[in-house]
Amino acid sequence: MSTRIYIFDTTLRDGEQVPGCQLNTIEKIEVARQLEKLGVDVIEAGFPVSSPGDFNSVVEISKAVSNPTICALTRAVKKDIEVAADALKHAKRGRIHTGIGTSSYHIYNKLNSNPEEIIERAVEAVKYARKFVDDVEFYAEDAGRSDNEYLARVIEAVINAGATVVNIPDTTGYCLAQDYGTKIAYLVNNVPNIDKAIISTHCHNDLGMATANTMAGILNGARQVEVTMNGIGERAGNTSLEEVVMTLKCHKYLGYETGIDTTQIMKTSNLVSTLMRMPVQPNKAIVGRNAFAHSSGIHQDGVLKNRENYEIIDPVEVGVKESSIVLTARSGRAALKHRLSVLGYELEPRDLDAVYNKFLELADRKKDISDEDLEVLVGRNKNDEPKPLELVSLQVVCGKSTIPTATVQVSFNGDVFTETASGNGPIDAAFTAVKALVKRRVRLEEFLIQAITRGSDDLGKVHVRIEHKGDTYYGFAANTDIVTASVEAFLDALGKIR
């Protein structure tokens, strides 16, 4: 029988501590509802005493979701606990997460205290929190650098006081996996009442060890993991939810399971990235744009023969439609033949050889090989065909004391239409006008601008990714006017919707 691992998501608390990534209450509710669809067990909704906004977010999230436990963070301070309890009054299942530092750094340098007083304050906080809720989690801040014998004394005392979950954070991301696993094992073997509480991990990624440490914690007895979507969080971030969940799923022989619907992972990742305005690095495990992309000829040939030759995860399992074969100068004939076949071209070996030689010459000169490039190589120039959507004219008004407004003229199958809209900036205004013209419900999932040349007259290249009815479409454009390039890239993606 599998052992259940509980997923505690702190995207809306620890994850939101990233500078510039704060969400308003409506956005937090949207993320919380998606986390509920994803299947997380606990949502840490905020730190209520820190601000009226955080307090209100915990209140509204408690009303908006039903299945997950809603958790509120506090310090080991009575006022914090009272405010958290008030914020959780609408939660169907509420948890107060209270705690204090247990390392010598925190005890002496941060708290100006001593080990015995810390235990007293920890016990008092847990007992007080239990007056308001039945589910109390205690965090031993900087447990990663805490003495194991002393940490065990603290954990025993707070469990006796009523803690139902004990959180062992590697707050500074200092631990190695072996050391963190040993710490969890020490608690399992040396805290007499440890069976009365769930051990939780909370690892930071300062040395890139967060997922490894979390897995070490699980293997040594932890049954809850505290994670964030995309691994966002303070400094170098937290343990990535998607990495831990898919590691457990890939290694079924370990005997662990979660309640996560993994097909919702990519959708959740995109939502968090979009709302927090924090792009996911392309090579990010599981959710990065290149996580299931293959450009090496050897890899491409292997994947086309059997996906499992180079992929341990079926992309469909995490909500990605399929692997992508990226054509570059390193691609082989198998990849080129596959892509041409997708475009409807079945070439004889001799013709394929000729096209492949032309392809290599082009790939050495051009970084990205598009479908349009391939059409040209096989003798059909798509540039000679009219695009379904083309930008005729664009006029933008913006400035410090002006509401950004854009007037867009678009040719749609030969007919010209005009629309005017305002927005948060010139690009947002132009995109809003375009969406009003084409009357399609689309979600902008990625928007990237890259300078091709140097200097103030840079030629800017824009890449957009949009979602429509579950399908993904890409658009590209380049122009010295970045707003024009953005609109043309958007129209390029929209024009591919059938």
Side-chain angles (χ1 to χ4, degrees), residues 219-408:
L219 293 172
N220 283 280
R223 293 295 173 259
Q224 177 180 281
V225 293
E226 304 194 6
V227 292
T228 61
M229 204 67 228
N230 301 335
I232 63 172
E234 210 159 338
R235 304 185 313 279
N238 290 50
T239 307
S240 295
L241 178 151
E242 62 275 10
E243 292 177 12
V244 173
V245 168
M246 293 311 296
T247 297
L248 294 175
K249 189 167 186 176
C250 282
H251 294 272
K252 290 184 174 65
Y253 67 89
L254 292 173
Y256 300 106
E257 66 176 11
T258 70
I260 296 296
D261 176 1
T262 62
T263 63
Q264 292 288 324
I265 283 177
M266 188 57 72
K267 184 176 181 180
T268 311
S269 169
N270 289 337
L271 178 65
V272 169
S273 174
T274 300
L275 292 182
M276 290 192 167
R277 297 163 291 280
M278 191 173 183
V280 177
Q281 66 191 66
N283 64 322
K284 170 72 176 67
I286 316 300
V287 294
R289 180 160 31 101
N290 295 340
F292 300 100
H294 306 274
S295 65
S296 161
I298 295 172
H299 285 223
Q300 290 173 337
D301 182 57
V303 167
L304 291 171
K305 288 175 177 173
N306 187 320
R307 180 192 57 77
E308 293 183 351
N309 283 330
Y310 285 100
E311 289 183 352
I312 59 172
I313 298 169
D314 185 341
V316 174
E317 290 184 339
V318 298
V320 177
K321 286 187 67 176
E322 59 185 0
S323 307
S324 59
I325 302 297
V326 181
L327 295 179
T328 69
R330 297 179 300 279
S331 298
R333 282 175 176 77
L336 179 61
K337 181 181 179 181
H338 168 75
R339 191 62 203 162
L340 288 173
S341 178
V342 170
L343 294 174
Y345 297 99
E346 300 294 340
L347 302 185
E348 296 296 329
R350 184 174 177 179
D351 294 329
L352 179 64
D353 287 344
V355 172
Y356 182 65
N357 290 332
K358 293 179 185 177
F359 161 78
L360 289 179
E361 292 177 8
L362 180 63
D364 278 334
R365 300 195 311 267
K366 188 176 181 184
K367 195 170 186 179
D368 299 313
I369 303 298
S370 66
D371 288 348
E372 287 78 6
D373 293 325
L374 296 181
E375 299 272 7
V376 173
L377 289 176
V378 295
R380 178 183 166 203
N381 192 340
K382 267 197 166 181
N383 292 329
D384 294 335
E385 299 179 8
K387 293 183 178 180
L389 292 170
E390 289 193 279
L391 182 64
V392 176
S393 70
L394 171 66
Q395 183 177 6
V396 175
V397 178
C398 61
K400 185 176 181 181
S401 58
T402 304
I403 297 175
T405 305
T407 299
V408 179

Side-chain angles (χ1 to χ4, degrees), residues 30-101:
E30 187 176 357
V31 172
R33 284 176 171 157
Q34 180 56 36
L35 290 172
E36 183 174 34
K37 289 180 183 177
L38 181 64
V40 304
D41 299 291
V42 184
I43 295 175
E44 188 163 49
F47 185 4
V49 81
S50 66
S51 73
D54 248 34
F55 178 90
N56 187 55
S57 292
V58 175
V59 171
E60 296 305 322
I61 290 170
S62 297
K63 296 176 183 177
V65 300
S66 302
N67 294 324
T69 295
I70 305 302
C71 180
L73 185 74
T74 80
R75 297 164 297 181
V77 175
K78 282 190 174 182
K79 179 64 176 177
D80 284 26
I81 294 168
E82 291 166 1
V83 173
D86 191 29
L88 289 168
K89 62 186 177 183
H90 296 290
K92 292 178 177 59
R93 282 177 293 279
R95 175 185 295 182
I96 292 177
H97 189 187
T98 191
I100 197 167

